[in-house]
Amino acid sequence: MQNNHAAERNLSDIQDLLACPACRGIFERKIDTLVCRACGNVYFIREGVLMLAVLGEAETKPSAHQGPTRESYQQEYQQLDAAAGYNLKYKQHVFKRWSTQREFRLLDRLLSSQPRSHTLLELPCGGGRLSSAMAKFTDLLIEADIAMGQVQYSQQHSRMETAQIWMTASALHIPFRDAVVDGVVCIRLCHHLHKPEEREQLVVELLRVARRFVIVTFFDYNSMKNIIRRMRQPIHRKRQKYTMTVSEVDAIARRHNARLEACPMLSWIGSGHRYALLVKS
Ligand SMILES: C[S@@+](CC[C@H](N)C(=O)[O-])C[C@H]1O[C@@H](n2cnc3c(N)ncnc32)[C@H](O)[C@@H]1O
Ligand SMILES: [Zn+2]
C-alpha cells in the first residue's frame, strides 16, 4: 500500500512525461494543480488522482447509430456507485469471471513476451479488474480512465505492491508526450467507439505515447460471434457491433512504425474480442 509520500514521489517521477491533453504543452506543477505553460489550462489533483481527462465534444450531426455515443459512454461511470455496479457484475456473474480468468492468461502471455517495463499505462483501467495481471511486469503502473468513479473504485480495490498512479484521462487525448511510457494496455474500449475513424484514432494515439508496445482489444468483424450476430440481425434487430478486422489493425500499425505481433481471440465461440499486441519498430 502506498502512503501520500510514495504517491507524491511517483507523481514527480512521471511529471516530465506528461503533456497537456488539450495542446500537448508541458506543465508547471503548483501545489495541487498542473498548469499548462502553453495554453494556460489548469488541471487539478484531487485525492491523489490527476484530473487530466478531456471529455469529447458534442456530436455535431445525428447518425444511424443506436447505442450510447462516445460522449454518453464517457459519462457513464463518473460516479462511484455506477462504477461499483459495473465492477460487481464482473465479480458475480460466472461467465464474466471465466472471461476475466482468460483475460489474465492472455495478458500474462503477451506481457511476458516483452521486456519488463519501467512504466506501463493501463487506459482504460475501469475499476482495476485486470490491473493485478499487469502489475508484475512493470515498476510503475499508471491506471487511467475517463471516469472518476472508475478511478476511485480502482484506487479503493486494486492496491498492490507495485507503485501505482491514478489519473483521469481520455484515450483519444492521452496526457503524455510521444513515446514516453514503455507500454500501453487498452482493454475493452475500442468496441464502444461507434465511428471507424475514432477506432483508428484510438490505436494511433496509443501508439503515439508507447515507446515499445501496445496491447489493444477490438471486436473482430470476422469472429464467429459477429458472423452469427450479423446472420440473426434481420430477426432480432440488435444493432451492429463496432468492429475492426485483423488486417485493418495490422495496416494502422504499419503506417505508424509498428507491427502486429500477435492477435489471439479471447474465445473462439463465446467472444468476438481479440487481444492485439503491436510492437514498435
Ligand atoms: C468496458 S470498460 C473496460 C475497463 C477495463 N479495461 C476492464 O476491462 O475491466 C470501458 C471503460 O472505458 C472508459 N472510457 C469510456 N470512454 C473513454 C475514453 N474516451 N477514454 C478513456 N476511457 C474511456 C469507461 O469509463 C469504462 O471504465
Ligand atoms: Zn495546453
Side-chain angles (χ1 to χ4, degrees):
M1 275 253 241
Q2 285 185 118
N3 54 30
N4 287 344
H5 197 66
E8 185 55 40
R9 199 181 52 230
N10 294 337
L11 170 56
S12 54
D13 270 2
I14 64 153
Q15 205 177 308
D16 291 343
L17 313 184
L18 295 170
C20 170
C23 77
R24 305 232 180 112
I26 55 170
F27 287 128
E28 185 176 338
R29 172 81 191 269
K30 302 272 168 76
I31 297 168
D32 55 3
T33 57
L34 293 170
V35 182
C36 173
R37 286 197 177 147
C39 72
N41 277 2
V42 177
Y43 300 91
F44 289 89
I45 306 170
R46 285 210 185 106
E47 296 160 31
V49 180
L50 304 181
M51 311 279 292
L52 294 172
V54 170
L55 299 184
E57 64 289 352
E59 290 283 325
T60 48
K61 55 174 187 250
S63 68
H65 153 83
Q66 297 164 14
T69 63
R70 168 165 58 88
E71 292 72 26
S72 66
Y73 187 58
Q74 290 175 356
Q75 296 297 340
E76 210 159 315
Y77 305 113
Q78 294 295 346
Q79 303 305 323
L80 183 56
D81 51 353
Y86 169 86
N87 289 291
L88 284 175
K89 207 170 64 188
Y90 262 90
K91 285 187 185 141
Q92 286 163 352
H93 291 194
V94 74
F95 287 117
K96 290 194 184 291
R97 280 212 306 272
W98 285 345
S99 168
T100 297
Q101 282 167 14
R102 282 201 301 271
E103 293 180 86
F104 263 68
R105 286 197 293 274
L106 279 178
L107 282 169
D108 201 76
R109 180 174 132 201
L110 297 177
L111 287 167
S112 53
S113 74
Q114 298 303 303
R116 183 182 170 77
S117 294
H118 176 53
T119 44
L120 192 61
L121 170 63
E122 183 192 6
L123 174 59
C125 61
R129 180 178 71 100
L130 299 170
S131 307
S132 62
M134 299 166 211
K136 68 176 179 205
F137 296 99
T138 185
D139 301 330
L140 174 66
L141 183 62
I142 304 164
E143 293 184 52
D145 194 286
I146 204 148
M148 184 60 174
Q150 291 282 49
V151 176
Q152 285 174 317
Y153 188 92
S154 174
Q155 236 186 349
Q156 290 172 10
H157 295 88
S158 78
R159 295 284 181 126
M160 48 194 112
E161 289 302 313
T162 305
Q164 288 164 284
I165 285 191
W166 289 273
M167 63 174 66
T168 64
S170 166
L172 299 170
H173 304 276
I174 305 180
F176 281 95
R177 289 164 38 207
D178 295 357
V180 287
V181 292
D182 290 318
V184 186
V185 180
C186 179
I187 308 299
R188 291 177 183 263
L189 174 60
C190 181
H191 72 294
H192 287 292
L193 301 176
H194 69 270
K195 294 183 186 158
E197 57 272 25
E198 285 171 353
R199 299 195 280 278
E200 170 156 2
Q201 183 191 340
L202 172 68
V203 178
V204 172
E205 183 65 353
L206 300 170
L207 283 168
R208 180 184 69 76
V209 299
R211 192 165 67 86
R212 291 204 318 245
F213 68 89
V214 165
I215 296 173
V216 57
T217 64
F218 65 95
F219 203 91
D220 183 1
Y221 179 81
N222 294 310
S223 60
M224 184 77 80
K225 186 106 178 173
N226 199 45
I227 291 169
I228 294 171
R229 189 177 174 115
R230 275 173 17 230
M231 279 173 11
R232 296 179 59 197
Q233 211 283 332
I235 305 159
H236 61 40
R237 300 193 173 276
K238 281 191 189 166
R239 72 159 171 83
Q240 294 198 350
K241 285 278 193 187
Y242 310 133
T243 59
M244 296 181 89
T245 63
V246 175
S247 41
E248 274 167 10
V249 175
D250 184 41
I252 297 170
R254 283 165 195 270
R255 285 199 294 277
H256 293 272
N257 255 340
R259 60 185 188 282
L260 179 64
E261 278 218 344
C263 203
M265 297 269 343
L266 179 52
S267 150
W268 282 104
I269 305 167
S271 167
H273 291 285
R274 278 185 187 271
Y275 269 63
L277 170 64
L278 313 178
V279 179
K280 301 256 306 244
S281 311

